Amino acid sequence: MAVLNVNGKALNHNADPRTPLLWVLREQLGLTGTKYGCGIAQCGACTVHIDGVATRSCQVPVSTVGAKKIVTIEGLAEDGKLNKIQAAWVAHDVPQCGYCQSGMIMAATALLAAKPNPTDADIDAAMTGNLCRCATYVRIRAAIHEAGKTL
């Protein structure tokens, strides 16, 4: 058994060390909010935080994580209350199909942790590579701006 620090909890898994973190999170730990999109780290649906850095989990072998702190979309809400970014997402009616949204929210969370009041250019740079097939990019930008104002 190996242990991962996920959302502040020590969780055991018995995955092959070469298994991508995404599959350990979803299949062994039951944290299905992190989505499989492309499998080649290009779409952002699988984004999680590893030690505070937005990371594409589909390309991270679980053996490389060690004791680093992993946060998934399930770990953002506190005591059942949405965080500022999640609340802004709802207020701006960002999701349509919703498939990419956990990755988008994780990328936006990392951006706002680094730059609490980002410019449009900052948002574009941070969110590049997080693909939304429903093209809700204008609402995503508005939600990030709103969340930044309330942090």
Side-chain angles (χ1 to χ4, degrees):
M1 276 293 168
V3 178
L4 291 174
N5 179 346
V6 182
N7 299 329
K9 298 177 184 169
L11 301 176
N12 295 318
H13 72 89
N14 62 356
D16 180 296
R18 298 168 293 178
T19 304
L21 176 60
L22 169 66
W23 297 116
V24 174
L25 293 171
R26 290 183 58 79
E27 302 298 327
Q28 292 204 11
L29 303 180
L31 298 170
T32 58
T34 304
K35 304 298 185 199
Y36 172 79
C38 66
I40 58 172
Q42 297 298 304
C43 72
C46 68
T47 302
V48 299
H49 295 171
I50 299 178
D51 281 347
V53 177
T55 305
R56 308 293 169 88
S57 63
C58 71
Q59 291 294 301
V60 176
V62 71
S63 63
T64 66
V65 177
K68 295 175 184 170
K69 295 178 182 177
I70 302 164
V71 177
T72 68
I73 190 75
E74 291 92 347
L76 291 184
E78 294 182 24
D79 297 323
K81 184 178 179 196
L82 297 178
N83 73 8
K84 302 285 186 189
I85 296 164
Q86 292 168 309
W89 238 248
V90 172
H92 286 271
D93 199 24
V94 172
Q96 284 187 19
C97 81
Y99 197 82
C100 66
Q101 295 307 305
S102 62
M104 290 281 191
I105 290 170
M106 296 306 290
T109 301
L111 166 63
L112 290 176
K115 287 193 169 198
N117 191 19
T119 65
D120 285 348
D122 294 332
I123 293 169
D124 292 347
M127 302 305 286
T128 295
N130 282 77
L131 304 178
C132 176
R133 293 177 73 172
C134 300
T136 63
Y137 299 109
V138 171
R139 288 183 272 172
I140 289 167
R141 183 185 285 163
I144 292 170
H145 280 302
E146 179 179 314
K149 290 176 188 171
T150 61
L151 292 176

